[in-house]
Amino acid sequence: MFGFFKRRDEGVTPVAPGTPVDMVSFTSREVFAILGDVDACYFICNTTTMELLRPALVCPDEWRRRAVERLAPAGIVDDACNPCPELERLLEPLRERGVEITDGVVPRPRDRRDKRSFCLAATRGRATLVRSTGAGRNRTFLLSDAGPREQWWPAIASSAHVPSVTPALPPDRVYFLDSDPACENFSEALMKADADCLRAFAERWGADYGRLVGMSSRIAAAKTGQKETSYLYLLDATDGEVDYVRSKNFTMHKPIGGNLYAAEMAFFPFFGFAVTGWRSRRQGMSPDWFSNDDERRAATFGSIDWLGDGDLVAHLMSNPPFPEHLTTPWRPGVEG
């Protein structure tokens, strides 16, 4: 039945028998062939790594044949391109949207480059760390078990080369609303130690002005390498609502709301300081709030944080509720 998979392709070099699954570099076409679709987080299979926008070039049968040719000799897939149990366990978190932590955003359809270097994808039972090398159509991907939640940050820090964080004690967090005039030019003021702007921010949101301006002064005076900003992004759709939209060749897993959570973190590793943007559903919002521009904007807030330790996964997954005390209750059609 699957005899056509066995035709020899001189352009394929088989993986050596005995090669551990987490040492195999997979191509996006191989992952698509094994999953039968794109990965839900679009880290491996997206428009920068595959010809998804050109249906005539999407050839699952040919990709399966080549995947079997390369991977079956090592027992990673069988002759029908079904994954071995170990690979299936690693692929499980990539089939549905759950928790996703990465160092960039999903590329837009016309982007030529995906700037992300890793993605940790997790469901309630499993977590897989995916790391990439190369660029564009030549990117390849390593999959490894990220273990239970308390091991996620060590896995990311050791394998994905995210900068380690110098703790800033005592830890503290101050919430703010970016839409407020007191936040105008805050990012620029932080980098330049603009005392007047920082004082207005501190007075409006209850921050310790002395500590804030002290941190800002250290950042402004630091050497170029010390003041560099790193970024992490979280989407937690474990209890969220996801819409499945079928395109011609693949399924789009579109987060639309429910108890979904999102965060974008800019941090200064050398100083243990972070500015984080959060999105959390507010009382009274519709089930599909995340796909509604007005509601998503009204659900957005921020925080400045002195990080007491270097576990940035714990920071991102702290999932604070919207600070309702900073504004008026949300109502449809009224910006809160």
Side-chain angles (χ1 to χ4, degrees):
M1 178 177 178
F2 297 101
F4 72 97
F5 280 143
K6 299 182 180 295
R7 292 178 299 175
R8 182 67 183 169
D9 189 328
E10 298 300 331
V12 174
T13 301
V15 174
T19 303
V21 173
D22 61 4
M23 295 296 291
V24 176
S25 293
F26 294 90
T27 69
S28 57
R29 291 181 174 184
E30 288 172 341
V31 172
F32 188 102
I34 297 168
L35 289 176
D37 208 332
V38 299
D39 55 307
C41 51
Y42 310 112
F43 181 70
I44 299 173
C45 305
N46 60 61
T47 53
T48 69
T49 61
M50 303 182 68
E51 306 85 348
L52 294 177
L53 298 180
R54 303 176 65 184
L57 298 180
V58 177
C59 307
D61 288 343
E62 173 64 14
W63 297 347
R64 280 193 293 272
R65 184 185 70 79
R66 292 176 67 88
V68 168
E69 184 87 15
R70 193 175 82 92
L71 302 173
I76 296 169
V77 300
D78 63 18
D79 286 347
C81 207
N82 298 310
C84 67
E86 183 180 355
L87 179 57
E88 176 56 34
R89 287 192 292 269
L90 294 174
L91 292 174
E92 183 181 325
L94 306 182
R95 296 182 183 274
E96 300 288 341
R97 300 202 86 151
V99 174
E100 300 164 21
I101 300 172
T102 185
D103 58 347
V105 297
V106 177
R108 294 171 297 184
R110 299 300 176 183
D111 286 346
R112 302 187 66 179
R113 181 170 175 263
D114 188 344
K115 297 180 180 180
R116 298 172 294 173
S117 66
F118 80 91
C119 180
L120 185 145
T123 58
R124 295 186 187 277
R126 300 191 181 279
T128 297
L129 179 64
V130 187
R131 292 164 290 153
S132 70
T133 57
R137 304 287 193 263
N138 295 319
R139 286 181 83 190
T140 57
F141 303 88
L142 289 168
L143 284 65
S144 58
D145 184 3
R149 180 168 163 174
E150 59 269 19
Q151 295 180 12
W152 293 358
W153 175 244
I156 292 172
S158 63
S159 301
H161 307 296
V162 176
S164 59
V165 175
T166 301
L169 299 172
D172 192 21
R173 171 178 291 175
V174 178
Y175 293 114
F176 64 89
L177 301 181
D178 192 53
S179 57
D180 192 278
C183 295
E184 188 174 0
N185 301 321
F186 172 70
S187 296
E188 183 178 352
L190 181 67
M191 298 299 293
K192 296 183 177 180
D194 183 330
D196 291 339
C197 184
L198 295 175
R199 184 182 298 278
F201 180 94
E203 290 177 352
R204 173 66 178 89
W205 306 113
D208 182 332
Y209 168 70
R211 193 178 189 193
L212 178 60
V213 77
M215 176 61 73
S216 178
S217 298
R218 291 175 61 199
I219 293 173
K223 298 177 182 178
T224 300
Q226 295 176 346
K227 67 172 62 179
E228 289 183 355
T229 310
S230 297
Y231 299 87
L232 288 175
Y233 299 80
L234 164 78
L235 176 72
D236 186 352
T238 304
D239 295 315
E241 297 292 334
V242 178
D243 194 17
Y244 300 92
V245 181
R246 184 66 188 176
S247 182
K248 291 184 178 179
N249 306 295
F250 62 96
T251 305
M252 293 181 287
H253 299 241
K254 182 181 177 182
I256 60 173
N259 292 325
L260 179 147
Y261 211 93
E264 303 175 8
M265 176 186 188
F267 64 102
F268 299 86
F270 190 80
F271 300 104
F273 186 77
V275 180
T276 307
W278 311 89
R279 289 194 176 101
S280 176
R281 185 183 184 185
R282 300 172 65 181
Q283 185 174 0
M285 285 189 165
S286 62
D288 61 349
W289 66 273
F290 196 74
S291 62
N292 181 294
D293 290 343
D294 291 338
E295 293 190 54
R296 188 172 63 251
R297 184 166 50 249
T300 301
F301 61 102
S303 71
I304 57 172
D305 290 85
W306 285 265
L307 302 167
D309 62 44
D311 189 339
L312 301 185
V313 167
H315 171 79
L316 286 169
M317 297 198 66
S318 59
N319 290 13
F322 188 93
E324 297 288 354
H325 64 282
L326 298 180
T327 186
T328 56
W330 180 85
R331 298 193 309 276
V334 178
E335 192 75 22

